[in-house]
Structure formats: structure tokens, C-alpha cells
Amino acid sequence: MSAESIIDALVAADDERPRTKAGFGVSGLGGCARKAYHQMRHDDPANPSVKRLPAILGTAIHAALEKAADRLPNALAEVALFVEEVELAGTADLIRGGVLDDYKTTTLKNLRWIKSHGPSRNHRWQVMTYAYAWNAEQPGPRGQEKPLIHMVRLIYIPRDGDESDVLVWEEDYDEAVALEAIEWAASARRAVADEAPPAPEKHFSYCANWCQFYGLCPGLDTSDALEEVDDPWLADAAEGLLVAQEDIREAEGRKEGAKDALDGFTGIVGDFRVTWQRHRYGYYPKVTRIRGGGDER
Ligand code: SF4
């Protein structure tokens, strides 16, 4: 069986999954405002080329986690919640004793960033808004039957990692963050009522792979007027990429200088053995540390 036929079968099975009509839900908070606009209007998808596999794998992992939740005492799994003010539905993955968990499947390289910089605005708004909806549904401090949420956790599970790579990010529940997210949703609802679609927010190369409304919406091109966005997490990512690119350029320069200095040398020097290996465009020095530990380069 070819990879294509396996993927076709996975997509067909996913299409048969019972699901609510795709509209805008809590999971879309803080994402692309134009996408929220189309989802709130229940516009038909326009892009048949959306990549499906990561979401299908995420669904499979969620199903396993939901089953496993049966073994956790006093845990509620897959809790349907609703934010009345902006008519937003969503499903929290797990609620246990005042702690609300949301699972996120991701990759190891994405995890490295989250470990050092925390979750995206979208993930944080989502989990805080679930907690807000849950707390709003409880009768109140006196008559309350179930504990109010006081802590939210995002549990990141890398598809390409193992148990030791799972990252738990936790934070005290902060109603102000949830209200910020709810105001964002209210503004998207106003745009729908005014029939005023927000400007596209993502580059078209991203949209072509990941947005069902690409086609209906053109996405952004670099020649379009660019909006200024207030998102410290994204600003950190932009700076991180720039610094990493400068480091790579600097390391490339050091590498070429060292290579020139070794020109033709073959033998053992200091703690290193130097030989030459054929590469695509000629020979390149191969340095192996033979004393003092460390990796071969
Ligand atoms: S196509 Fe791109 S810019 Fe347009 S709604 Fe989708 S994600 Fe947003």
C-alpha cells in the first residue's frame, strides 16, 4: 500500500467522524481574525489542499488521553463549555479538582521554543477562556457543587518525542486574560454583523497549507501593507530568528576560516584527528576528537 493510499484512508475516516458543523470555537481565540470572521459566518471551505495529517494525529492522541482519563479519580474528560457573552462553544480536555488541562500535540522543535518562551497567545487565551466558562457555570461560592478552576495547564505532547519530552505549562487562572480573549471574539462578531471582513493576517504560503478559507481569502503577500501587531511572544520569535541567523552567519565565517587554516593538513594534532572526506563539490576536512571527550564533528 502506498503512503498516498494510507493517507487517503486516514482522511476519509476523519471525514466520517461525527462532528459539529465547523464554526468558530474557543480554540480559535487569538488566531487569524479573518479566519474567525469566515468561521462565524459558517462560510464553506474553499481550499481542498489543507494539510490534514497533524490534526488527524492530534485527534488520535486526544482519543487515547480521553480513554486514559477514566483511570483518574474525580476527573471529568471532554467537558463541553459555552461562553454566553459571545456564544462560543468549546471542549476542555480534563478538569480535576479545580485544575483545568488542555492537551496540545506538537513537535520537539516547537516544544523547545515553548519551554523557553511559554505558550502562544492563542493557547493561553483558549485555556483561560475554558476556565472562565466553567467558573461562570458554577452556582457560586456557597451553593457550588464543583470546585472553581484556580489553575490552568497546557500539556504539550510532541508527536516525535517520548515520555521525558512532555511539557506541562501551568499558570493561576487569570480572569483578565479570559476577558481579553472574549473581547477579541466580540470584536470579530461585530465585524460579521457589519459585514466588514478583517484584513488577512497570515502569509499566503501558510494559508495554502493550513487554512480552509484560502481562496475565499487571498492571505497576505509581502507587497501588501503590513499591520503592526502587539504580541510580545511573536516579537520574541522574530528577534530569536534574527539572532540565530546572525549566529549562523558568524559560525559559517569561523568554519570557513578554520577550514582554510587546515588546508591539506592530514594527521593528529592536539586532541584531534584530521582527515578529508569527499563531499558534493570536493574534499572537506573531517575532524574527530580523539582525547578529552566530546562529539565527532
Ligand atoms: S487564508 Fe490566511 S489570512 Fe485568510 S483567513 Fe485563512 S489564515 Fe487568515
Side-chain angles (χ1 to χ4, degrees), residues 24 194 210:
F24 183 77
D194 296 345
W210 303 110

Side-chain angles (χ1 to χ4, degrees), residues 25-39:
V26 175
S27 61
L29 286 169
C32 173
R34 173 67 170 261
K35 186 174 181 178
Y37 173 87
H38 290 300
Q39 286 175 318

